[in-house]
Amino acid sequence: MTSHQTAQTMKPATAAKKLGVYLEATPAEFQEGVVSRTELSALQADPPQWLQDLRRNGPHPRPVVAAKLGVSIAGLARGGITDPLTTDDIDALKTENPEWLQKERATQAEVRKETVRIKEMQAEKAERAQKRQPNA
């Protein structure tokens, strides 16, 4: 008895998300097809020119825009940024440095500090608990 392995595939939206690109900016053949895990790996390992250009110039999806600006996705929305931005748009925002961006960056920095503090506290707690247990 032989088993036939079928290639795992994903929708173009999922593949675009994994590649960190805005789906609507990808070529039509990418948007209309399905992408196998093998094809995705090949795209990640040796990106074609269109993928290199999209990653470099955009338009970028919200998670990428948020990361490049150093804010959360919710922070983008609070700042009124709902559309994809190009690298030039992002650079212009960084240069302009509007008040909302300064505020959201500060908020994001506080969130990161709090996350580190909580992890350290949990690690200390786990270490104390481990010391209290007798060796078996």
Side-chain angles (χ1 to χ4, degrees):
M1 211 163 133
T2 59
S3 63
H4 296 288
Q5 265 192 322
T6 57
Q8 287 186 322
T9 59
M10 62 192 82
K11 294 177 183 176
T14 304
K17 191 174 191 178
K18 289 180 181 285
L19 292 169
V21 295
Y22 184 58
L23 178 62
E24 283 74 15
T26 60
E29 61 270 9
F30 181 86
Q31 292 180 39
E32 295 163 2
V34 293
V35 180
S36 71
R37 291 206 179 271
T38 305
E39 290 168 332
L40 180 68
S41 295
L43 287 169
Q44 289 171 324
D46 186 23
Q49 191 61 48
W50 65 264
L51 183 53
Q52 292 176 36
D53 292 343
L54 272 179
R55 286 178 168 168
R56 183 175 35 258
N57 304 319
H60 302 288
R62 284 180 310 187
V64 174
V65 173
K68 286 179 179 274
L69 289 173
V71 300
S72 66
I73 294 172
L76 282 180
R78 285 190 293 269
I81 306 296
T82 56
D83 295 328
L85 299 179
T86 64
T87 301
D88 290 341
D89 295 335
I90 293 167
D91 291 342
L93 260 176
K94 286 179 178 178
T95 302
E96 184 183 318
N97 201 16
E99 189 177 327
W100 72 264
L101 182 57
Q102 294 172 36
K103 182 180 174 189
E104 290 301 332
R105 282 181 166 171
T107 300
Q108 193 68 7
E110 288 298 317
V111 168
R112 286 189 192 111
K113 282 188 346 192
E114 182 65 7
T115 301
V116 168
R117 186 189 72 77
I118 290 170
K119 281 185 180 180
E120 288 171 351
M121 189 176 72
Q122 289 172 339
E124 288 173 17
K125 196 175 188 181
E127 191 176 312
R128 284 194 306 270
Q130 190 176 21
K131 286 181 180 178
R132 283 190 295 237
Q133 290 180 350
N135 291 342

